[in-house]
Amino acid sequence: MTLHPPVVGHCDELLEALGAFRASAHVTQRWGDRLADVLSGGGRLLAAGNGGSAAQAQHLTAELVGRYRDDRPPFSAIALHADTSSTTAIANDYGVDEVFARQVRAHGREGDVLMLLSTSGASANLLSAADAARAAGVRVWALTGCAPNPLMAGSDESLCVEAPSTATVQEIHLVAVHMICAAFDAALERGARGARTARGAGRAAQRKRR
């Protein structure tokens, strides 16, 4: 079989971008740890994107409501673009730029997290959502393409993928989603072990007092 340059070239581009993105592992670790604190405390993750980025955002919420690897309790995570009745009604009545912002105002509470995914970092509806989130006390994280970009500037924290094609940026975003989920699950397990240790210490102290 003959491999055409664009096919092999895509793999080479992905490998190069992934190697550079590996240096951002500490950010995905921090985001996973923070999400574990927020969601286990009764908070919520909101997520949104357009096109392929919508699929990646929904992938993230599915991993949290369902599971990533091992069985664990479900957590509250909503992909805003997945509510087609709301998004089309809002677009019709208020304009496309409001499709996510209005839902953030409806669902977001102080201390929640909004994850926005955009290969361009310039989508007007995501920028409006970021503004609405910050006004509501919701923390904004962005996964974008090359820096600098408007969404990066409008978020509390961002991860920017340096890659020449939209496809490669989206593929690295999926890697980032899985890294965040791995960190999330690990943080939950550490918390569960700590709680078990504390309960054991408490029972031992009670036995001594007796």
Side-chain angles (χ1 to χ4, degrees):
M1 177 184 291
T2 300
L3 294 177
H4 299 287
V7 177
V8 177
H10 182 76
C11 291
D12 293 340
E13 181 182 305
L14 179 58
L15 283 171
E16 183 177 352
L18 184 59
F21 187 76
R22 195 176 190 279
S24 302
H26 65 287
V27 179
T28 58
Q29 174 78 57
R30 184 170 67 248
W31 287 6
D33 290 348
R34 178 59 182 159
L35 268 184
D37 288 339
V38 171
L39 301 191
S40 62
R44 173 178 292 156
L45 172 71
L46 305 176
N50 295 295
S53 295
Q56 305 289 31
Q58 194 166 343
H59 189 124
L60 173 59
T61 59
E63 302 282 30
L64 296 171
V65 177
R67 67 173 186 176
Y68 175 53
R69 287 179 178 163
D70 300 324
D71 191 33
R72 55 156 168 72
F75 292 91
S76 182
I78 299 174
L80 300 179
H81 54 274
D83 186 346
T84 54
S85 293
S86 289
T87 55
T88 52
I90 294 167
N92 186 61
D93 294 340
Y94 299 97
V96 175
D97 289 359
E98 279 292 301
V99 293
F100 301 136
R102 193 166 178 86
Q103 292 184 78
V104 168
R105 296 186 194 102
H107 300 302
R109 300 293 182 268
E110 186 171 357
D112 288 348
V113 174
L114 172 65
M115 177 79 81
L116 300 174
L117 293 87
S118 173
T119 57
S120 69
S123 300
N125 54 12
L126 298 181
L127 294 171
S128 296
D131 290 341
R134 291 197 311 273
V138 174
R139 190 161 188 81
V140 181
W141 296 340
L143 276 173
T144 76
C146 297
N149 60 71
L151 187 57
M152 166 189 160
S155 302
D156 295 296
E157 293 187 69
S158 62
L159 270 175
C160 303
V161 177
E162 298 296 326
S165 72
T166 295
T168 298
V169 172
Q170 289 175 339
E171 288 160 354
I172 299 298
H173 283 180
L174 180 56
V175 172
V177 163
H178 286 157
M179 291 168 74
I180 292 166
C181 289
F184 176 85
D185 283 1
L188 290 178
E189 179 56 29
R190 287 195 303 273
R193 285 199 304 267
R196 289 193 296 267
T197 300
R199 287 195 299 269
R203 286 194 292 268
Q206 286 179 344
R207 287 195 294 271
K208 285 183 180 179
R209 286 196 294 270
R210 292 173 188 161

